[in-house]
Amino acid sequence: MRRTFHSGLDEISGALVEMSHQVGEMMDRATAALLDADVTGAERVISQDAAVDDLYRRTEERAYDLLARHQPVAGDLRTIVTSLNGVADLERMGDLAVHVAKITRLRYPRSAVPGELTGTMREMGRVASRIAAKTSQVLAGDDPDARVTLAREIAVDDDAMDALHRRLFVVLLDGSWPHGVEAAIDITLLGRFYERFADHAVSVAERVVYLVTGERPEAPKGRHGAHVEVT
Amino acid sequence: MRRTFHSGLDEISGALVEMSHQVGEMMDRATAALLDADVTGAERVISQDAAVDDLYRRTEERAYDLLARHQPVAGDLRTIVTSLNGVADLERMGDLAVHVAKITRLRYPRSAVPGELTGTMREMGRVASRIAAKTSQVLAGDDPDARVTLAREIAVDDDAMDALHRRLFVVLLDGSWPHGVEAAIDITLLGRFYERFADHAVSVAERVVYLVTGERPEAPKGRHGAHVEVT
């Protein structure tokens, strides 16, 4: 029974790593499609989400099944609970990549991103990619210190994402935005999607660190609640 | 020990109901402040969030404590896991009310909502209020059938929210928007905050229904991932 239980835990842990790879790849592809106004690439991201949702569902079921059939001790229990929270965040990250792809599809054959913001959006995509890769490493790793270090790096990357997000608003609001309301809405939503993608990754990493070190990350507002002021 | 455990469960359950009341009240106040350009009301919402965050933190700790000190059986375990997911959603709903309040504060003494959208935003506030109240009832109730009925009503209310959200974009994009880019950004973000508030409530209600009936609500994409297309 212990063997079954631990192989169940390993399966869940593997699913989390796999989901983090998939949503990272989805956001990479969504960014590329956005910048190239590539509707085929965007469609591919949208299709890819079904596999992530399916993995989410199966992993959640697996976790509930383990809870129902075994009486895991406290540490294992906390692992399962952390995993349940983690899959929900990762599923949401996949949705956010889909949201980016849908804006690309909606504006095709035009680009949703005006020339002067291409650089900023590309950089937001790069930061998202880095954050997703580090989140995978946090999930796959087994050295607590390395995981803590990675989680701190993710927090720094998240600050960089927030700074890029603010930069979008500076451009939108400098008084000479020539692209109209529709483009402003697209950029506002895109900025929000990348920022939330990063926030969910921070949340996954912080919970894993809490699990392995017992050290509680900072207040929920500090990270997850951050609203970039529209100044 | 069972008594301690069950009083712990009751405490967690009470905290969820209390959080749902608080975030509902916050969103009500945030809507009133938004429509009246009332910076004092907005500040009050922003301050109120600390209590919600605190309750969130304490409830999460309490849940982990119960997991660590007892070996709850499957049903109780699932209750705790559902509660952990629930408090995270409710905490986020509080953040979204704060986001609305911050836009009010940022634009004060002007209103962030142009006259022609006041009715739609007021209606979004009413739907959010209704959804929050029903979520409280789902959390506080003990009749499974009544809870299922309420969860279905919340799903219908959420569809109404999505329709209102779409209406915002119709007004923004009808080609004669006279209020400039800044107001368009505010409305875009406000729309998103109300829509997400509703989505999180749907998520709480669905999980409670899953807990009490074993019936899995529909695919995660159907509700939580819904992106209102900017057409």
Side-chain angles (χ1 to χ4, degrees):
Chain A
M1 178 157 144
R2 296 307 293 165
R3 185 194 295 271
T4 313
F5 178 72
H6 281 287
S7 73
L9 272 191
D10 287 346
E11 199 184 306
I12 290 172
S13 161
L16 279 157
V17 175
E18 174 59 26
M19 279 181 81
S20 69
H21 286 312
Q22 287 191 17
V23 302
E25 184 183 77
M26 282 171 74
M27 196 50 127
D28 286 348
R29 287 179 173 173
T31 304
L34 175 71
L35 295 171
D36 297 342
D38 168 13
V39 74
T40 312
E43 292 285 5
R44 189 151 43 139
V45 173
I46 295 163
S47 312
Q48 196 175 350
D49 196 41
V52 173
D53 285 350
D54 188 52
L55 194 49
Y56 165 60
R57 208 90 39 83
R58 280 188 290 126
T59 308
E60 211 181 48
E61 295 290 350
R62 193 82 190 88
Y64 278 115
D65 186 56
L66 282 187
L67 292 177
R69 292 192 352 204
H70 304 265
Q71 293 202 335
V73 293
D76 289 337
L77 254 183
R78 278 189 36 187
T79 302
I80 295 179
V81 172
T82 300
S83 302
L84 279 165
N85 284 317
V87 289
D89 278 308
L90 291 163
E91 188 269 329
R92 185 78 202 136
M93 288 165 76
D95 286 345
L96 290 162
V98 167
H99 291 352
V100 171
K102 283 189 172 172
I103 288 186
T104 301
R105 183 171 70 178
L106 191 63
R107 298 304 168 219
Y108 180 80
R110 284 186 300 107
S111 171
V113 183
E116 65 266 48
L117 283 174
T118 306
T120 307
M121 291 303 314
R122 177 173 291 121
E123 190 56 26
M124 290 181 92
R126 278 198 196 118
V127 176
S129 188
R130 204 154 68 213
I131 287 176
K134 286 177 187 166
T135 303
S136 297
Q137 287 178 269
V138 169
L139 288 166
D142 50 17
D143 173 2
D145 290 343
R147 287 167 134 183
V148 170
T149 303
L150 280 164
R152 284 202 192 116
E153 285 181 27
I154 291 171
V156 173
D157 290 333
D158 185 48
D159 290 340
M161 183 67 94
D162 288 344
L164 290 162
H165 192 196
R166 280 192 294 275
R167 198 193 295 170
L168 292 181
F169 288 118
V170 171
V171 175
L172 285 171
L173 295 173
D174 83 346
S176 62
W177 177 256
H179 306 288
V181 170
E182 185 178 275
I185 294 173
D186 287 345
I187 294 298
T188 302
L189 290 174
L190 287 167
R192 186 109 191 121
F193 298 152
Y194 281 93
E195 187 228 324
R196 295 297 303 148
F197 183 92
D199 282 349
H200 283 285
V202 168
S203 170
V204 172
E206 282 181 346
R207 285 178 186 280
V208 171
V209 164
Y210 182 46
L211 180 72
V212 297
T213 67
E215 293 215 4
R216 191 111 188 98
E218 63 191 87
K221 272 205 62 194
R223 297 264 148 233
H224 320 305
H227 169 53
V228 172
E229 308 282 341
V230 189
T231 38
Chain B
M1 177 156 145
R2 293 311 291 166
R3 184 192 294 274
T4 313
F5 179 72
H6 281 288
S7 74
L9 271 192
D10 287 347
E11 199 184 305
I12 290 171
S13 160
L16 279 158
V17 175
E18 174 58 25
M19 280 182 80
S20 68
H21 285 313
Q22 288 191 17
V23 302
E25 185 183 75
M26 282 172 75
M27 196 50 128
D28 286 350
R29 288 179 173 173
T31 304
L34 176 71
L35 295 171
D36 297 343
D38 168 14
V39 73
T40 312
E43 292 286 5
R44 190 151 41 139
V45 173
I46 295 164
S47 311
Q48 197 173 350
D49 195 40
V52 173
D53 285 349
D54 189 52
L55 195 49
Y56 165 61
R57 208 89 40 83
R58 280 188 292 126
T59 308
E60 213 182 47
E61 295 292 351
R62 193 85 191 83
Y64 278 116
D65 186 55
L66 282 186
L67 293 177
R69 291 191 355 203
H70 304 264
Q71 292 201 335
V73 294
D76 289 337
L77 254 184
R78 277 188 37 185
T79 302
I80 296 179
V81 172
T82 300
S83 302
L84 280 166
N85 284 317
V87 290
D89 278 309
L90 291 164
E91 188 269 329
R92 184 78 203 137
M93 288 165 75
D95 286 345
L96 291 161
V98 167
H99 290 353
V100 171
K102 284 190 172 172
I103 288 186
T104 302
R105 183 172 70 177
L106 192 63
R107 297 304 167 217
Y108 179 80
R110 286 186 298 108
S111 170
V113 183
E116 66 264 47
L117 282 175
T118 307
T120 306
M121 290 303 313
R122 177 174 291 120
E123 190 55 27
M124 290 182 92
R126 279 199 195 116
V127 175
S129 188
R130 205 155 68 214
I131 287 176
K134 285 176 188 166
T135 303
S136 297
Q137 288 178 268
V138 169
L139 288 166
D142 50 17
D143 173 2
D145 290 343
R147 287 169 132 182
V148 170
T149 303
L150 280 163
R152 282 201 194 118
E153 283 181 29
I154 292 170
V156 173
D157 290 332
D158 185 48
D159 290 340
M161 183 68 94
D162 288 343
L164 290 162
H165 192 197
R166 279 191 295 274
R167 198 194 294 170
L168 293 181
F169 288 117
V170 171
V171 176
L172 285 171
L173 295 174
D174 83 346
S176 62
W177 178 256
H179 306 288
V181 169
E182 185 178 275
I185 293 173
D186 286 346
I187 294 298
T188 303
L189 290 173
L190 288 167
R192 185 105 193 126
F193 298 152
Y194 282 94
E195 187 229 325
R196 294 298 302 149
F197 183 91
D199 282 349
H200 283 284
V202 168
S203 169
V204 172
E206 282 181 349
R207 284 178 187 280
V208 171
V209 164
Y210 182 47
L211 180 72
V212 298
T213 67
E215 293 215 5
R216 191 110 189 99
E218 62 191 89
K221 272 205 60 192
R223 296 263 148 235
H224 319 306
H227 169 54
V228 172
E229 307 282 341
V230 188
T231 39

